[in-house]
Amino acid sequence: MKRALISVYEKNEELFDFVFFLDKKEYQIISTCGTYQYLKKNGISNVIKIENIISFPEILDGRIKTIHPSIYGGILANRSIDKHMKSIHFHGINPIDIVLVNFYPFFDKFHKKSMNSIIEFIDIGGLSMLRAAAKNFFHVTPITDKKDYILVKNEIENYGNTSLKLRKKLAGKVFNLTSAYDSAISQYFLMEENFPTYLHFSYEKKMNLRYGENPHQEAAYYISTIHNGSMCNFHQLHGKNLSFNNLRDMDIAWKVVSQFSEPACCTVKHATPCSVALGKNVIDAFKKNYYADSISSFGGIMAVNVPITKELANKMNSLFLEVILSPSYEKNGLSILKQKKNIRIIRIKNPISDKLEYVKIDGGILVQQVDPPLSYDYQIVTKKKFSDQEIRSLFFAQKVVKYVKSNAIVVAQGTQTLGISGGQTNRIWAARQAIERALEKRKEDLVLVSDAFFPFRDIVDEAAISGKIRAIIQPGGSIRDKESIKACDEHGIAMAFTGKRHFKH
C-alpha cells in the first residue's frame, strides 16, 4: 500500500479534494492531529494519526510531533538500495510516497506579532519533512503548492505514479520555498543589521510581465514576502499587462509625489522625472506639470498623490499616457479613463518604506541605504540671501533632483519644474539643457538645484548668462568652491551649500 503524509496549516476544499482522490486510489493517509481531525470530520476514513505510527504523542504544545525515525526513515529510504529497505523493514518502518506540507504562516505574521508570539510560527517539522522528501525525489513526491495538486492527480490517474521529471520539479520548489522561508526568519532576527554576512532575499512572484526592458527580454515581478512596500499592494484596475519599464517608472513617480503634502503631479519617462508640480488643487498641479514638459509627457507615467476626479480624468484622457497612478479614483473619473483600452490604471496607497537599495552587477550585488528624506539645513555662502519664495522653490526642486539621474540639474519657478536634465557625463551640459528648457517657458524668478557640487564656476556663469536664475542650492565640497561663490557674488546670485550630495546612478 502506498502512503501519503499530510500535515497542513491551511485546510480547505482544494486540500480535501486532493486527499479524497488519494483515498480513492487506496493511499493510506498519515496526518498530524489537526489535519487528522479535519479529514475525519469531512469523511476521509482511511487516515491514521502520526502518533500511532511513531507510538509517541505530540509534546511541547505541538513543537514536536513528526521528528522520529519512523517518519524520516519512511521518507528518506532509497528504494533502490537493498540495505536501506532491509533496515526500515527490520525496524518496522513503512515507506512514505507523498509528503504534502504547508507551513505555519510566518510571512503573514511578520509585522503582526510580538517576538514571543511569532516564534511559534517558525515551522520546524514541516520544513524538515519536505526537505527530506525533496532530497529523496527519486522515490518520493514532495508537495508544497496547491497549484500542483492537479499535476500530481493527472499523473497518478494516467500512469499510476508521478514521473521523475515532475518529482524533480517539485523538489526544486521545496528548496525554493524553504530558502525564502528561512530568509524571512533570518531577516526578522537580523532586522537591525543592514549588511549581514550572507545576503538573503524572500520574494514571491506576483506576475509575469509583458517583457523586460526590451520586447525580446522575458521578465517577471516579485514582491517581498515580509515587507509592505508601496509596490507590494498596488491594484491594476484597467489596461494591458505591465512591463519591466512600467514598474520601474511607477516606483519613481510614486516616490516623487509621496514626498509632498500638497496636491502633486509627476510625469516620469525612462526612469527619470521629466516634470513635477504642486498646485492648490489637483487640476492646478496637473496643468502646471503638463506645461512644464508637454513633449516628454507623451507615453509617460503620471502619478498624483490625491484622488482623480472626473474633471482630471477628462484632461488626462486628452494625453497619451502609458500608466496613471493615484491613491483613489472617483467612479465617474475611472469610467472616463477606462474609455482608453490599453492605458494601465493603478490604485496605490502604501507609503514609501524602502530602507535599502540593491543593484545587481555581474557576479555580485551592491547594497546601500536609501537616500533619506531631505534635511532643510543649508548655509548661505554669498553676499546675497534667499527670499522666502526662493527657499520654498529651492527645497521643492531638491526633492525632485534626488530622483534625476546624475549629473542632475533642476530649474524651477515656485513649485513647478521648468527644466530637468540628468544622465550627462558632465555637469555643464546638464545645466545648459535644464536652463534652456526652463527659459522656453518662463523668464522670471528661476532657481537652480544641483545634486552634486560644481567642479568649476562655469555652471554659475551659465546661469548668469540666462539673466533669470536668482538662487542656487548645491552640496558644495569642491576644491573650487571659492570660485563658484565669487562668480555668484559677481552676478548677484544667492547660493547656499547643503553639505549633502544626492547622486542617483
Side-chain angles (χ1 to χ4, degrees), residues 255 352-358 368-373 402:
K255 284 175 176 172
I352 304 302
S353 65
D354 278 343
K355 295 181 180 179
L356 296 173
E357 294 176 332
Y358 306 88
Q368 69 172 353
Q369 293 178 323
V370 299
D371 196 357
K402 66 180 287 191

Side-chain angles (χ1 to χ4, degrees), residues 84-100:
H84 280 205
M85 301 311 292
K86 288 178 180 177
S87 177
I88 65 170
H89 288 151
F90 176 79
H91 292 288
I93 299 171
N94 293 313
I96 294 172
D97 304 283
I98 292 175
V99 175
L100 191 167

Side-chain angles (χ1 to χ4, degrees), residues 379-397:
Q379 178 187 3
I380 298 283
V381 293
T382 54
K383 294 176 183 177
K384 186 180 178 186
K385 310 304 179 186
F386 294 152
S387 68
D388 290 343
Q389 180 181 337
E390 287 166 347
I391 291 172
R392 173 170 162 77
S393 186
L394 286 163
F395 280 103
F396 159 76

Side-chain angles (χ1 to χ4, degrees), residues 1 7 91 225 256 268 276 291 340 347 380 396 473 501:
M1 176 182 286
S7 179
H91 292 288
T225 60
V256 171
V268 168
V276 184
Y291 179 78
K340 289 194 171 182
R347 185 176 69 235
I380 298 283
F396 159 76
I473 271 190
R501 189 180 75 181

